[in-house]
Amino acid sequence: MNSNEQTGGLYDGLEPTLDNLHLFTIGTKNQLARRKKLGVSGLRKTIRSIEAAFESVFLRPMQLEDINPDVAMMLVNRWKREGMSLDMLHRRHEWFRDRNATAVALGWSKSQDFSGINIGRSEAWQASRQAVPVPKPLKGSRTKSKTTMPLLDFLNEHYRPTRLVGKSINTVRLYRHSINAFSRWLGRAAVLGDLNNKTVSDFLYWSLENTELAAATVEKDRSQLCVLWTFAAKRGWLKEFPEINAIPCPKRVPDAWSDDEMVQLMEACESAPGRIGKVDANKYWPALVSFIYDTGERISATLALERQYLEADGWVTIRGEHRKGKTRDKRFRLRPITLERIDSIKVFGQKNVFFWPYNYDYIFTRFGKILETAGLPNNRRNKFHKIRRTTASNFEAAGGNATALLDHSHRRTTLAYLDPRVIKETHPADIVPGIGETTIESGKDDSLVDDFREFLQSRKPR
């Protein structure tokens, strides 16, 4: 018996499309049922909202095959950054699961696992709703109307036009993220009057104690809220200035990929399925990874590279306006194999070398899948920036100046990129004899460390 017979001919003559999928639902007894109409207005709004979010990211209408965990995860992450409530996130996550189950029942799709999508710790944020009352307006005509101004409006109407001119979209996004996190803790939209030492410090303390957020993330929230706070206080819109000390953030040991891991990554890139716009994915990813490895550039500047700045002899210019800080251009020479890979993804009429037709954030999701295929960790520290750290570490180990390569203003910034295993730092175990030993054996012949040990031995008094 085929699936159509099992469903009693509910969808005779219907094409397997997303619009037709909305005509069906899974009933209370887990049986497929056909809707007489789409239903309540809330459901129609949810469908329109999800499809609109998809189209804004992928620049095309949503289709049946887009009901999958990758798309759901990418959209959920985007909604989380926009500050959507956890209840709404759970409903939209459930919508994807329900649509997949319905498509499976119709025989239009295979069953997919949506359990790996991290919606968030709802119990933590629900418990955080402090129900802090809206601050009372301060006395004085200058401050009275400003105290109850929503922080997001303050950011968009006052701070951004004067202090964030020329800054990247990502910088503005980070400010909004901090404001949204503050609002979730308050249980309402944050207003300017909430920027006081008691309320902000309570929010930061709670974030450190009751969430899995890293100290650096909480410090970022503190820093950005205090910047907005100071801006308002200098204009007399708030009576007190921030007095909250910076949160100590432990510095992590920089790590790079080994040669074997880079080979694994490249093999995974060369076997990537599907297409990126008009280019085969198994050609796009090797070209992108090769370019970042040759230059050590950031992913944002790489995606902005135009073909007119790529020369036939292998030299490429990264324009200053696309680089962090937007201060100066940077030139690099590419390997012949990198040039060949770039030539293989050339599309007539396409000005960008690495044209990415989707939302910027989605590239990290797609690259994460490649990392998993390569058997490498898929987390925030193991994305494109790790290739940058790998290039910097290998360049320094080969005798180059990684500070100049990465175009850092200070050497201390570069040190956060250099893997001590790659640059071969000397440690006590390398040159200091062990307890009760007079010499230390080395398995490395003709190394500088061995020469140094011999020199020390020769200097001992006889």
Side-chain angles (χ1 to χ4, degrees):
M1 181 180 293
N2 60 36
S3 59
N4 190 34
E5 291 172 344
Q6 291 174 345
T7 56
L10 287 173
Y11 63 99
D12 287 336
L14 286 179
E15 293 289 332
T17 65
L18 186 60
D19 287 339
N20 288 334
L21 179 65
H22 295 327
L23 299 175
F24 296 89
T25 185
I26 300 295
T28 55
K29 297 181 180 180
N30 291 326
Q31 293 181 342
L32 185 66
R34 183 163 182 166
R35 292 191 177 105
K36 295 182 179 179
K37 56 182 180 179
L38 194 54
V40 296
S41 60
L43 177 59
R44 288 196 296 271
K45 289 180 179 179
T46 297
I47 293 173
R48 291 196 201 102
S49 178
I50 293 173
E51 292 181 348
F54 178 91
E55 190 164 353
S56 70
V57 172
F58 294 92
L59 307 179
R60 63 173 177 81
M62 194 173 190
Q63 300 173 0
L64 180 63
E65 55 267 26
D66 297 317
I67 305 295
N68 62 67
D70 287 342
V71 171
M73 180 183 297
M74 192 276 299
L75 291 179
V76 165
N77 288 337
R78 174 175 176 159
W79 290 324
K80 286 167 69 175
R81 287 191 297 271
E82 292 174 351
M84 182 176 287
S85 70
L86 283 166
D87 290 340
M88 185 66 73
L89 285 173
H90 279 288
R91 284 199 293 270
R92 295 194 175 192
H93 177 236
E94 186 60 32
W95 181 87
F96 272 93
R97 296 178 60 179
D98 174 77
R99 292 298 83 200
N100 177 243
T102 303
V104 170
L106 287 164
W108 291 356
S109 178
K110 63 180 181 179
S111 179
Q112 306 207 51
D113 183 12
F114 292 84
S115 61
I117 300 174
N118 181 20
I119 301 297
R121 295 173 55 189
S122 58
E123 68 279 4
W125 280 114
Q126 291 294 341
S128 76
R129 295 186 181 277
Q130 304 296 306
V132 178
V134 178
K136 295 180 179 180
L138 299 176
K139 295 182 180 179
S141 58
R142 188 178 185 186
T143 60
K144 185 175 182 180
S145 62
K146 303 296 184 182
T147 308
T148 57
M149 176 187 293
L151 264 183
L152 284 174
D153 291 348
F154 174 74
L155 171 68
N156 294 327
E157 298 173 10
H158 297 278
Y159 187 78
R160 184 179 180 182
T162 56
R163 295 300 177 88
L164 298 182
V165 176
K167 298 294 184 180
S168 67
I169 296 176
N170 188 57
T171 299
V172 179
R173 180 185 68 80
L174 291 174
Y175 273 96
R176 288 174 178 161
H177 183 276
S178 295
I179 293 173
N180 289 333
F182 191 31
S183 296
R184 288 198 300 269
W185 179 81
L186 290 168
R188 56 171 172 77
V191 297
L192 196 59
D194 289 317
L195 296 179
N196 58 75
N197 288 301
K198 175 67 168 63
T199 304
V200 174
S201 62
D202 284 350
F203 160 63
L204 297 173
Y205 180 80
W206 184 91
S207 298
L208 289 170
E209 294 293 322
N210 297 281
T211 72
E212 297 177 352
L213 296 175
T217 302
V218 181
E219 165 58 18
K220 188 71 173 178
D221 290 339
R222 183 206 68 84
S223 175
Q224 296 190 141
L225 290 176
C226 286
V227 166
L228 297 173
W229 182 352
T230 301
F231 183 84
K234 284 182 176 180
R235 282 150 182 76
W237 298 345
L238 295 174
K239 286 191 173 182
E240 63 181 35
F241 282 79
E243 299 177 353
I244 304 173
N245 292 331
I247 297 170
C249 301
K251 294 183 178 180
R252 305 302 176 194
V253 177
D255 57 336
W257 274 314
S258 66
D259 290 342
D260 289 341
E261 289 172 328
M262 286 301 299
V263 171
Q264 291 173 231
L265 175 59
M266 187 57 70
E267 290 176 349
C269 289
E270 292 173 344
S271 63
R275 296 174 67 83
I276 307 295
K278 298 179 180 180
V279 177
D280 291 334
N282 59 8
K283 294 181 179 179
Y284 183 93
W285 292 112
L288 181 67
V289 170
S290 290
F291 182 87
I292 298 176
Y293 185 76
D294 281 3
T295 63
E297 261 300 343
R298 294 175 174 85
I299 182 61
S300 56
T302 300
L303 294 180
L305 174 65
E306 297 180 7
R307 283 200 171 268
Q308 61 176 315
Y309 302 113
L310 180 63
E311 301 170 17
D313 59 357
W315 286 93
V316 62
T317 301
I318 307 295
R319 301 280 287 178
E321 54 265 36
H322 299 144
R323 305 182 70 244
K324 187 175 181 180
K326 304 180 185 296
T327 54
R328 51 188 169 267
D329 297 351
K330 183 76 174 173
R331 284 174 63 83
F332 302 95
R333 187 173 65 83
L334 304 178
R335 292 180 175 86
I337 184 62
T338 303
L339 287 174
E340 292 177 13
R341 287 168 173 160
I342 289 175
D343 285 341
S344 71
I345 64 171
K346 187 174 183 179
V347 176
F348 179 76
Q350 191 170 283
K351 70 175 185 177
N352 286 69
V353 176
F354 302 102
F355 176 68
W356 183 253
Y358 315 115
N359 179 274
Y360 173 73
D361 294 333
Y362 186 53
I363 196 170
F364 298 97
T365 302
R366 289 286 294 269
F367 189 59
K369 295 297 181 182
I370 291 176
L371 293 174
E372 293 174 359
T373 301
L376 301 173
N378 177 15
N379 53 49
R380 292 184 63 183
R381 283 191 62 81
N382 290 274
K383 292 293 172 68
F384 298 105
H385 225 61
K386 189 163 184 175
I387 306 177
R388 182 170 161 86
R389 294 197 297 273
T390 301
T391 298
S393 298
N394 288 331
F395 189 70
E396 185 84 10
N401 183 348
T403 302
L405 172 71
L406 301 180
D407 203 18
H408 288 155
S409 300
H410 302 284
R411 179 65 179 177
R412 63 176 179 270
T413 305
T414 309
L415 294 177
Y417 286 75
L418 304 181
D419 189 328
R421 300 169 300 178
V422 178
I423 62 175
K424 296 180 172 52
E425 289 182 347
T426 302
H427 295 271
D430 295 323
I431 60 175
V432 178
I435 298 173
E437 299 176 353
T438 57
T439 62
I440 181 169
E441 296 183 359
S442 171
K444 301 177 181 179
D445 297 330
D446 300 327
S447 69
L448 292 175
V449 173
D450 289 333
D451 293 341
F452 184 58
R453 291 197 195 100
E454 292 178 6
F455 171 76
L456 291 178
Q457 291 292 333
S458 67
R459 300 288 294 177
K460 286 185 177 181
R462 298 181 181 273

